[in-house]
Amino acid sequence: MGAENQQIKNKQPWSKLVLLVAFATTLGAAVPTGYCIGVINSPADLMKVWCNQTIHEKYGSTLTSSGLQILWSSIVSIFLVGGAIGSLGGAGLANKFGRKTCMFICAVLFTIGAVLFFFCRAAKSVEMLILGRLIVGLSSGLVTATLPMYLAEIAPPARRGTLGVFCGVGVTGGVVVAQVCSLSHVFGTDELWHYALSAYMVLIIVCYLPSYAFPESPKFLYVMKSNPSAARASLLRLRGKSAGKFIEQEIAEMEAEANDNSQNSGFCDVLRDPRLLMPLIIVCSFQGGQQLSGINAIFYYSVSIFKNAGFSEANAQWANLGAGCLNLSISLLGPLLMATCRRRTLMMLSSSLCAFFLFCIAFVLYYIGSVSWFAWACIVCIMGYIFFYQFGLGPIPYFIGSELFEVAPRSVAMSMGSMSSWTCNFIIGMAFPSLESAWGAFVFIPFSITCVLLFLLTKFYLPETFGRDPSDVAPLVSKGFRSKVK
């Protein structure tokens, strides 16, 4: 019967409404998140000059180079602090107001941030810039905590992994769009950098125009709000009236979850439940490990590597954009990979090969001055790392919580994972420049070790979630480190 039910699920078609919500929320929430991550890099020198001039005109003092660096670090890092706080708040907001409402809250916060960015230059207010970065950070944290969950809960059961990667693809795409918009040929000039910071507002306006048609998550309505009639109505809109047998099967699954009194939904309840320890460790390790696996450091270091290979400053910037485009291009394969491939296989393949390429990058960088062709070998290693990163380390951490946790504890798990991601991102942003100065090429060794640890965690403790309902997966990891995963 289980195999027969799974075959029925696999035949379930996409509906236009599901695709509309998936693309609208990805372009209107995930892409702005990636945009705000990437847009601050290229115009950094121009913005530092403006900050110094503004403070001198407003307060009559001039910052020293160290003081300016501290101010700039604050502008960059306040976004990451906001992301961690927004992630923590995601659980409470998602359970109290719903997944759909969280998307609207994200849009409002992004809009406020864009307004502050656009007018901070005219108002000569560094404070507006810092406040804007904090607000878009809060929104971005809320996006990464709730969007994968929302998409997984409105998707047909067999397509949850396919929609689950949309958030990661959107964030990756947003970084590339930001790199383009902040080029000196576009908005990356002394007169236009505030346009670069706020340009994502176009996506917010366009993508939220059809938001009146967005449905609430049926699982949220049934399990969290105890409203079966509203859940059925939402499912009818998502699946279509001709999908009666699919709807009844999903309603039966939701009823079973709703009747399971052992499920916890409160933050403290979830953290104290020993059955949820291992899946929480997996979710937090995957999302934190995604940041500690070196992807941000690679993009931080890539321009200097391209220059070592003989590229000019301008060509090195274009080559860096090319690396970002490769990252985006491979991420677009994510929905196809998640629809056809096992999670364990992809994660172990990705983490093992990324560990290998990171070790090679460290080795080649150390001897880059001794061997003429090592600069080009380093570029090959960087491209190889980016290629295999998007097979597992890139997409899977975003949605694995939706496949490991049932509805009640899911929002807490996704919030904890998202907070882990933003916290580790903050650590990398603060520590990497100092570590790179102290360790040189060997700074990539800890990233390689992180990938090895993620490989071992996957091999011994991650159950296969592909094509399985979370209610079938949860018991497999309910015994903590004593769980046996084959």
Side-chain angles (χ1 to χ4, degrees), residues 185-240:
H185 303 291
V186 189
F187 294 132
T189 67
D190 182 48
E191 300 293 326
L192 298 176
W193 58 260
H194 59 295
Y195 283 89
L197 264 62
S198 55
Y200 67 84
M201 192 59 212
V202 175
L203 284 173
I204 301 290
I205 294 172
V206 172
C207 294
Y208 278 88
L209 283 176
S211 60
Y212 66 89
F214 292 0
E216 183 52 90
S217 159
K219 284 203 168 188
F220 167 77
L221 293 171
Y222 200 114
V223 179
M224 302 304 299
K225 289 300 181 182
S226 302
N227 193 339
S229 60
R232 183 179 291 274
S234 181
L235 268 179
L236 279 170
R237 291 186 61 209
L238 287 165
R239 307 290 182 255

Short mmCIF file of all heavy atoms in Angstrom, two decimals, residues 185-240:
data_model
loop_
_atom_site.label_atom_id
_atom_site.label_comp_id
_atom_site.label_asym_id
_atom_site.label_seq_id
_atom_site.Cartn_x
_atom_site.Cartn_y
_atom_site.Cartn_z
N HIS A 185 29.77 50.23 -14.60
CA HIS A 185 29.04 50.57 -15.83
C HIS A 185 27.54 50.68 -15.58
O HIS A 185 26.81 51.13 -16.47
CB HIS A 185 29.29 49.51 -16.90
CG HIS A 185 30.74 49.31 -17.22
ND1 HIS A 185 31.51 50.26 -17.87
CD2 HIS A 185 31.59 48.29 -16.95
CE1 HIS A 185 32.75 49.83 -18.00
NE2 HIS A 185 32.82 48.63 -17.46
N VAL A 186 27.09 50.26 -14.39
CA VAL A 186 25.65 50.29 -14.10
C VAL A 186 25.38 51.31 -12.99
O VAL A 186 25.23 52.50 -13.26
CB VAL A 186 25.14 48.87 -13.72
CG1 VAL A 186 23.60 48.85 -13.64
CG2 VAL A 186 25.60 47.84 -14.74
N PHE A 187 25.33 50.85 -11.73
CA PHE A 187 25.05 51.77 -10.63
C PHE A 187 26.24 51.94 -9.67
O PHE A 187 26.11 52.63 -8.66
CB PHE A 187 23.85 51.28 -9.81
CG PHE A 187 22.54 51.30 -10.56
CD1 PHE A 187 21.70 50.20 -10.55
CD2 PHE A 187 22.16 52.42 -11.28
CE1 PHE A 187 20.49 50.22 -11.23
CE2 PHE A 187 20.96 52.45 -11.96
CZ PHE A 187 20.12 51.34 -11.95
N GLY A 188 27.36 51.30 -9.97
CA GLY A 188 28.49 51.33 -9.04
C GLY A 188 29.36 52.56 -9.19
O GLY A 188 30.58 52.45 -9.39
N THR A 189 28.75 53.74 -9.11
CA THR A 189 29.48 55.00 -9.21
C THR A 189 29.25 55.85 -7.97
O THR A 189 28.36 55.58 -7.17
CB THR A 189 29.05 55.80 -10.46
OG1 THR A 189 27.68 56.23 -10.28
CG2 THR A 189 29.14 54.95 -11.72
N ASP A 190 30.01 56.92 -7.88
CA ASP A 190 29.90 57.81 -6.73
C ASP A 190 28.52 58.46 -6.65
O ASP A 190 28.03 58.76 -5.55
CB ASP A 190 30.99 58.89 -6.82
CG ASP A 190 30.97 59.83 -5.62
OD1 ASP A 190 30.93 59.31 -4.49
OD2 ASP A 190 30.99 61.05 -5.82
N GLU A 191 27.88 58.66 -7.78
CA GLU A 191 26.58 59.34 -7.81
C GLU A 191 25.40 58.38 -7.74
O GLU A 191 24.28 58.80 -7.42
CB GLU A 191 26.46 60.17 -9.10
CG GLU A 191 27.52 61.24 -9.25
CD GLU A 191 27.37 62.35 -8.21
OE1 GLU A 191 26.20 62.65 -7.85
OE2 GLU A 191 28.40 62.88 -7.76
N LEU A 192 25.63 57.09 -8.01
CA LEU A 192 24.49 56.17 -8.18
C LEU A 192 24.49 54.96 -7.25
O LEU A 192 23.61 54.11 -7.35
CB LEU A 192 24.45 55.66 -9.64
CG LEU A 192 24.24 56.71 -10.73
CD1 LEU A 192 24.32 56.06 -12.10
CD2 LEU A 192 22.89 57.41 -10.56
N TRP A 193 25.45 54.87 -6.32
CA TRP A 193 25.53 53.65 -5.51
C TRP A 193 24.27 53.41 -4.68
O TRP A 193 23.92 52.27 -4.38
CB TRP A 193 26.76 53.65 -4.61
CG TRP A 193 26.87 54.80 -3.65
CD1 TRP A 193 27.63 55.93 -3.81
CD2 TRP A 193 26.21 54.95 -2.38
NE1 TRP A 193 27.49 56.76 -2.73
CE2 TRP A 193 26.63 56.19 -1.84
CE3 TRP A 193 25.33 54.16 -1.66
CZ2 TRP A 193 26.17 56.65 -0.60
CZ3 TRP A 193 24.88 54.61 -0.42
CH2 TRP A 193 25.28 55.84 0.09
N HIS A 194 23.55 54.50 -4.30
CA HIS A 194 22.32 54.31 -3.53
C HIS A 194 21.22 53.69 -4.39
O HIS A 194 20.32 53.04 -3.87
CB HIS A 194 21.85 55.63 -2.93
CG HIS A 194 21.59 56.72 -3.92
ND1 HIS A 194 22.58 57.26 -4.70
CD2 HIS A 194 20.45 57.36 -4.27
CE1 HIS A 194 22.07 58.20 -5.48
NE2 HIS A 194 20.78 58.28 -5.25
N TYR A 195 21.29 53.89 -5.72
CA TYR A 195 20.37 53.18 -6.61
C TYR A 195 20.67 51.69 -6.60
O TYR A 195 19.75 50.86 -6.64
CB TYR A 195 20.51 53.71 -8.05
CG TYR A 195 19.84 55.04 -8.30
CD1 TYR A 195 20.52 56.23 -8.09
CD2 TYR A 195 18.53 55.10 -8.76
CE1 TYR A 195 19.91 57.45 -8.32
CE2 TYR A 195 17.91 56.32 -9.01
CZ TYR A 195 18.61 57.50 -8.77
OH TYR A 195 17.99 58.69 -9.00
N ALA A 196 21.97 51.34 -6.56
CA ALA A 196 22.34 49.92 -6.52
C ALA A 196 21.79 49.25 -5.27
O ALA A 196 21.26 48.13 -5.32
CB ALA A 196 23.87 49.79 -6.56
N LEU A 197 21.88 49.93 -4.13
CA LEU A 197 21.42 49.34 -2.88
C LEU A 197 19.91 49.11 -2.86
O LEU A 197 19.44 48.16 -2.21
CB LEU A 197 21.81 50.25 -1.70
CG LEU A 197 23.11 49.88 -0.97
CD1 LEU A 197 24.30 49.96 -1.90
CD2 LEU A 197 23.32 50.81 0.24
N SER A 198 19.15 49.93 -3.56
CA SER A 198 17.69 49.86 -3.47
C SER A 198 17.01 49.30 -4.72
O SER A 198 15.78 49.21 -4.77
CB SER A 198 17.12 51.26 -3.18
OG SER A 198 17.56 52.20 -4.14
N ALA A 199 17.79 48.89 -5.74
CA ALA A 199 17.21 48.46 -7.02
C ALA A 199 16.33 47.22 -6.89
O ALA A 199 15.44 47.00 -7.73
CB ALA A 199 18.32 48.21 -8.04
N TYR A 200 16.55 46.40 -5.85
CA TYR A 200 15.74 45.18 -5.70
C TYR A 200 14.26 45.49 -5.48
O TYR A 200 13.40 44.61 -5.58
CB TYR A 200 16.26 44.34 -4.53
CG TYR A 200 16.08 44.98 -3.17
CD1 TYR A 200 14.88 44.87 -2.48
CD2 TYR A 200 17.11 45.71 -2.57
CE1 TYR A 200 14.71 45.46 -1.23
CE2 TYR A 200 16.95 46.29 -1.34
CZ TYR A 200 15.75 46.17 -0.67
OH TYR A 200 15.57 46.76 0.55
N MET A 201 13.94 46.75 -5.17
CA MET A 201 12.56 47.13 -4.91
C MET A 201 11.67 46.86 -6.11
O MET A 201 10.46 46.61 -5.96
CB MET A 201 12.51 48.62 -4.52
CG MET A 201 11.18 49.06 -3.95
SD MET A 201 10.76 48.13 -2.46
CE MET A 201 8.99 48.09 -2.61
N VAL A 202 12.24 46.89 -7.31
CA VAL A 202 11.47 46.59 -8.51
C VAL A 202 10.90 45.17 -8.43
O VAL A 202 9.73 44.93 -8.77
CB VAL A 202 12.35 46.75 -9.78
CG1 VAL A 202 11.59 46.32 -11.02
CG2 VAL A 202 12.83 48.18 -9.90
N LEU A 203 11.72 44.23 -7.96
CA LEU A 203 11.26 42.85 -7.82
C LEU A 203 10.15 42.73 -6.78
O LEU A 203 9.17 41.99 -6.98
CB LEU A 203 12.43 41.94 -7.43
CG LEU A 203 13.42 41.59 -8.53
CD1 LEU A 203 14.60 40.84 -7.93
CD2 LEU A 203 12.76 40.76 -9.61
N ILE A 204 10.29 43.46 -5.68
CA ILE A 204 9.26 43.41 -4.63
C ILE A 204 7.92 43.85 -5.19
O ILE A 204 6.88 43.19 -4.98
CB ILE A 204 9.66 44.31 -3.44
CG1 ILE A 204 11.01 43.88 -2.84
CG2 ILE A 204 8.56 44.31 -2.37
CD1 ILE A 204 10.98 42.58 -2.10
N ILE A 205 7.92 44.96 -5.92
CA ILE A 205 6.67 45.50 -6.46
C ILE A 205 6.03 44.54 -7.45
O ILE A 205 4.84 44.22 -7.36
CB ILE A 205 6.92 46.87 -7.13
CG1 ILE A 205 7.35 47.90 -6.08
CG2 ILE A 205 5.68 47.36 -7.87
CD1 ILE A 205 7.81 49.22 -6.66
N VAL A 206 6.83 44.05 -8.39
CA VAL A 206 6.30 43.18 -9.45
C VAL A 206 5.81 41.84 -8.88
O VAL A 206 4.72 41.38 -9.22
CB VAL A 206 7.36 42.95 -10.54
CG1 VAL A 206 6.88 41.90 -11.54
CG2 VAL A 206 7.68 44.25 -11.25
N CYS A 207 6.59 41.24 -8.01
CA CYS A 207 6.29 39.88 -7.56
C CYS A 207 5.17 39.82 -6.52
O CYS A 207 4.54 38.77 -6.35
CB CYS A 207 7.55 39.23 -7.00
SG CYS A 207 8.82 38.94 -8.24
N TYR A 208 4.94 40.91 -5.82
CA TYR A 208 3.86 40.90 -4.83
C TYR A 208 2.55 41.46 -5.35
O TYR A 208 1.56 41.52 -4.61
CB TYR A 208 4.30 41.62 -3.55
CG TYR A 208 5.12 40.75 -2.64
CD1 TYR A 208 6.50 40.66 -2.78
CD2 TYR A 208 4.51 39.97 -1.66
CE1 TYR A 208 7.26 39.83 -1.96
CE2 TYR A 208 5.25 39.13 -0.84
CZ TYR A 208 6.63 39.07 -0.99
OH TYR A 208 7.37 38.24 -0.18
N LEU A 209 2.50 41.86 -6.62
CA LEU A 209 1.23 42.29 -7.21
C LEU A 209 0.17 41.18 -7.18
O LEU A 209 -0.99 41.45 -6.87
CB LEU A 209 1.46 42.78 -8.65
CG LEU A 209 2.08 44.18 -8.80
CD1 LEU A 209 2.33 44.49 -10.27
CD2 LEU A 209 1.15 45.24 -8.20
N PRO A 210 0.55 39.91 -7.49
CA PRO A 210 -0.47 38.85 -7.42
C PRO A 210 -0.59 38.21 -6.03
O PRO A 210 -1.15 37.12 -5.90
CB PRO A 210 0.05 37.83 -8.44
CG PRO A 210 1.53 37.95 -8.35
CD PRO A 210 1.81 39.41 -8.08
N SER A 211 -0.08 38.87 -4.99
CA SER A 211 -0.04 38.24 -3.67
C SER A 211 -1.42 37.97 -3.08
O SER A 211 -1.55 37.14 -2.19
CB SER A 211 0.77 39.12 -2.70
OG SER A 211 0.17 40.39 -2.56
N TYR A 212 -2.43 38.68 -3.60
CA TYR A 212 -3.79 38.42 -3.11
C TYR A 212 -4.22 36.98 -3.41
O TYR A 212 -5.12 36.43 -2.74
CB TYR A 212 -4.77 39.39 -3.77
CG TYR A 212 -4.93 39.20 -5.26
CD1 TYR A 212 -5.88 38.33 -5.78
CD2 TYR A 212 -4.10 39.87 -6.16
CE1 TYR A 212 -6.00 38.14 -7.15
CE2 TYR A 212 -4.22 39.68 -7.52
CZ TYR A 212 -5.18 38.82 -8.02
OH TYR A 212 -5.30 38.63 -9.37
N ALA A 213 -3.57 36.36 -4.39
CA ALA A 213 -3.94 34.99 -4.78
C ALA A 213 -3.14 33.94 -4.03
O ALA A 213 -3.42 32.75 -4.16
CB ALA A 213 -3.73 34.81 -6.29
N PHE A 214 -2.15 34.34 -3.24
CA PHE A 214 -1.33 33.37 -2.53
C PHE A 214 -2.19 32.63 -1.49
O PHE A 214 -2.89 33.27 -0.69
CB PHE A 214 -0.17 34.04 -1.79
CG PHE A 214 0.88 34.64 -2.69
CD1 PHE A 214 0.77 34.57 -4.07
CD2 PHE A 214 1.98 35.29 -2.15
CE1 PHE A 214 1.73 35.14 -4.89
CE2 PHE A 214 2.94 35.86 -2.97
CZ PHE A 214 2.82 35.79 -4.34
N PRO A 215 -2.13 31.31 -1.47
CA PRO A 215 -2.87 30.55 -0.45
C PRO A 215 -2.04 30.39 0.82
O PRO A 215 -0.81 30.48 0.78
CB PRO A 215 -3.09 29.20 -1.12
CG PRO A 215 -1.86 29.03 -1.97
CD PRO A 215 -1.47 30.42 -2.44
N GLU A 216 -2.69 30.16 1.93
CA GLU A 216 -1.98 29.80 3.15
C GLU A 216 -1.62 28.32 3.09
O GLU A 216 -2.24 27.55 2.37
CB GLU A 216 -2.85 30.10 4.38
CG GLU A 216 -2.19 29.84 5.73
CD GLU A 216 -0.83 30.51 5.88
OE1 GLU A 216 -0.79 31.66 6.35
OE2 GLU A 216 0.19 29.86 5.53
N SER A 217 -0.61 27.94 3.84
CA SER A 217 -0.19 26.54 3.89
C SER A 217 -1.31 25.67 4.44
O SER A 217 -1.80 25.91 5.55
CB SER A 217 1.05 26.40 4.78
OG SER A 217 1.20 25.07 5.23
N PRO A 218 -1.75 24.65 3.69
CA PRO A 218 -2.81 23.77 4.20
C PRO A 218 -2.41 23.07 5.50
O PRO A 218 -3.25 22.90 6.39
CB PRO A 218 -3.02 22.76 3.06
CG PRO A 218 -2.46 23.43 1.85
CD PRO A 218 -1.34 24.29 2.33
N LYS A 219 -1.15 22.68 5.59
CA LYS A 219 -0.71 21.98 6.81
C LYS A 219 -0.74 22.91 8.01
O LYS A 219 -1.08 22.48 9.12
CB LYS A 219 0.70 21.41 6.60
CG LYS A 219 0.73 20.15 5.74
CD LYS A 219 1.96 19.33 6.01
CE LYS A 219 1.84 17.95 5.39
NZ LYS A 219 2.93 17.04 5.79
N PHE A 220 -0.39 24.17 7.81
CA PHE A 220 -0.48 25.13 8.91
C PHE A 220 -1.93 25.29 9.36
O PHE A 220 -2.21 25.30 10.56
CB PHE A 220 0.08 26.49 8.46
CG PHE A 220 -0.24 27.62 9.39
CD1 PHE A 220 0.45 27.78 10.57
CD2 PHE A 220 -1.25 28.52 9.08
CE1 PHE A 220 0.14 28.83 11.44
CE2 PHE A 220 -1.56 29.57 9.93
CZ PHE A 220 -0.86 29.71 11.12
N LEU A 221 -2.84 25.39 8.42
CA LEU A 221 -4.25 25.58 8.75
C LEU A 221 -4.82 24.37 9.48
O LEU A 221 -5.59 24.51 10.44
CB LEU A 221 -5.06 25.85 7.48
CG LEU A 221 -4.77 27.17 6.76
CD1 LEU A 221 -5.46 27.21 5.41
CD2 LEU A 221 -5.23 28.35 7.63
N TYR A 222 -4.43 23.17 9.04
CA TYR A 222 -5.00 21.95 9.63
C TYR A 222 -4.36 21.61 10.97
O TYR A 222 -5.05 21.40 11.98
CB TYR A 222 -4.83 20.78 8.66
CG TYR A 222 -5.77 19.62 8.94
CD1 TYR A 222 -6.76 19.29 8.03
CD2 TYR A 222 -5.69 18.87 10.11
CE1 TYR A 222 -7.63 18.24 8.26
CE2 TYR A 222 -6.55 17.82 10.36
CZ TYR A 222 -7.53 17.52 9.43
OH TYR A 222 -8.39 16.48 9.68
N VAL A 223 -3.02 21.57 10.99
CA VAL A 223 -2.30 21.08 12.18
C VAL A 223 -2.17 22.16 13.24
O VAL A 223 -2.40 21.91 14.43
CB VAL A 223 -0.92 20.54 11.78
CG1 VAL A 223 -0.16 20.05 13.01
CG2 VAL A 223 -1.06 19.40 10.77
N MET A 224 -1.80 23.38 12.85
CA MET A 224 -1.52 24.43 13.82
C MET A 224 -2.77 25.21 14.21
O MET A 224 -2.92 25.63 15.35
CB MET A 224 -0.46 25.40 13.27
CG MET A 224 0.86 24.73 12.90
SD MET A 224 1.60 23.79 14.26
CE MET A 224 1.85 25.08 15.47
N LYS A 225 -3.69 25.43 13.26
CA LYS A 225 -4.88 26.23 13.53
C LYS A 225 -6.14 25.38 13.72
O LYS A 225 -7.22 25.93 14.00
CB LYS A 225 -5.12 27.22 12.37
CG LYS A 225 -4.09 28.35 12.33
CD LYS A 225 -4.12 29.18 13.60
CE LYS A 225 -3.14 30.32 13.59
NZ LYS A 225 -3.15 31.09 14.85
N SER A 226 -6.00 24.05 13.55
CA SER A 226 -7.14 23.13 13.74
C SER A 226 -8.36 23.57 12.93
O SER A 226 -9.48 23.65 13.43
CB SER A 226 -7.51 23.03 15.22
OG SER A 226 -6.41 22.59 15.98
N ASN A 227 -8.13 23.87 11.65
CA ASN A 227 -9.20 24.34 10.77
C ASN A 227 -9.22 23.48 9.51
O ASN A 227 -8.75 23.88 8.45
CB ASN A 227 -8.95 25.82 10.40
CG ASN A 227 -10.17 26.47 9.77
OD1 ASN A 227 -11.05 25.79 9.24
ND2 ASN A 227 -10.22 27.78 9.80
N PRO A 228 -9.81 22.27 9.60
CA PRO A 228 -9.82 21.35 8.46
C PRO A 228 -10.51 21.91 7.23
O PRO A 228 -10.07 21.66 6.10
CB PRO A 228 -10.56 20.12 8.99
CG PRO A 228 -10.42 20.21 10.48
CD PRO A 228 -10.41 21.66 10.81
N SER A 229 -11.60 22.65 7.40
CA SER A 229 -12.33 23.18 6.25
C SER A 229 -11.48 24.19 5.48
O SER A 229 -11.45 24.17 4.24
CB SER A 229 -13.64 23.82 6.70
OG SER A 229 -13.39 24.89 7.60
N ALA A 230 -10.76 25.06 6.18
CA ALA A 230 -9.88 26.02 5.51
C ALA A 230 -8.72 25.30 4.83
O ALA A 230 -8.29 25.69 3.73
CB ALA A 230 -9.35 27.05 6.51
N ALA A 231 -8.20 24.25 5.48
CA ALA A 231 -7.11 23.49 4.88
C ALA A 231 -7.56 22.81 3.60
O ALA A 231 -6.85 22.79 2.59
CB ALA A 231 -6.59 22.45 5.87
N ARG A 232 -8.77 22.26 3.61
CA ARG A 232 -9.31 21.60 2.42
C ARG A 232 -9.52 22.61 1.29
O ARG A 232 -9.21 22.34 0.12
CB ARG A 232 -10.62 20.89 2.75
CG ARG A 232 -11.22 20.12 1.58
CD ARG A 232 -12.51 19.43 2.00
NE ARG A 232 -12.25 18.34 2.93
CZ ARG A 232 -11.94 17.11 2.56
NH1 ARG A 232 -11.85 16.81 1.26
NH2 ARG A 232 -11.74 16.17 3.45
N ALA A 233 -10.03 23.79 1.64
CA ALA A 233 -10.24 24.82 0.63
C ALA A 233 -8.92 25.27 0.01
O ALA A 233 -8.83 25.49 -1.20
CB ALA A 233 -10.97 26.02 1.25
N SER A 234 -7.90 25.40 0.85
CA SER A 234 -6.58 25.78 0.34
C SER A 234 -6.01 24.70 -0.57
O SER A 234 -5.43 25.00 -1.63
CB SER A 234 -5.63 26.04 1.52
OG SER A 234 -4.35 26.43 1.07
N LEU A 235 -6.19 23.43 -0.19
CA LEU A 235 -5.72 22.32 -1.03
C LEU A 235 -6.45 22.28 -2.37
O LEU A 235 -5.85 21.99 -3.40
CB LEU A 235 -5.91 21.00 -0.29
CG LEU A 235 -4.73 20.48 0.55
CD1 LEU A 235 -5.10 19.17 1.22
CD2 LEU A 235 -3.48 20.31 -0.30
N LEU A 236 -7.74 22.56 -2.34
CA LEU A 236 -8.51 22.58 -3.60
C LEU A 236 -7.96 23.63 -4.56
O LEU A 236 -7.87 23.40 -5.77
CB LEU A 236 -9.99 22.85 -3.31
CG LEU A 236 -10.83 21.66 -2.85
CD1 LEU A 236 -12.20 22.12 -2.37
CD2 LEU A 236 -10.99 20.65 -4.00
N ARG A 237 -7.60 24.77 -4.01
CA ARG A 237 -7.02 25.82 -4.86
C ARG A 237 -5.65 25.41 -5.39
O ARG A 237 -5.31 25.68 -6.55
CB ARG A 237 -6.88 27.12 -4.07
CG ARG A 237 -8.20 27.79 -3.70
CD ARG A 237 -7.94 29.13 -3.04
NE ARG A 237 -7.22 30.01 -3.95
CZ ARG A 237 -6.38 30.97 -3.56
NH1 ARG A 237 -6.12 31.15 -2.27
NH2 ARG A 237 -5.77 31.73 -4.46
N LEU A 238 -4.86 24.73 -4.55
CA LEU A 238 -3.50 24.36 -4.94
C LEU A 238 -3.45 23.18 -5.90
O LEU A 238 -2.60 23.13 -6.79
CB LEU A 238 -2.68 24.04 -3.69
CG LEU A 238 -2.27 25.22 -2.82
CD1 LEU A 238 -1.79 24.74 -1.45
CD2 LEU A 238 -1.17 26.04 -3.49
N ARG A 239 -4.34 22.22 -5.71
CA ARG A 239 -4.28 20.99 -6.49
C ARG A 239 -5.30 20.96 -7.65
O ARG A 239 -5.12 20.23 -8.61
CB ARG A 239 -4.53 19.76 -5.60
CG ARG A 239 -3.65 19.69 -4.37
CD ARG A 239 -2.21 19.38 -4.72
NE ARG A 239 -1.41 19.28 -3.50
CZ ARG A 239 -0.57 20.22 -3.10
NH1 ARG A 239 -0.39 21.32 -3.81
NH2 ARG A 239 0.12 20.08 -1.98
N GLY A 240 -6.38 21.74 -7.53
CA GLY A 240 -7.42 21.71 -8.54
C GLY A 240 -8.52 20.73 -8.18
O GLY A 240 -8.30 19.76 -7.45
#
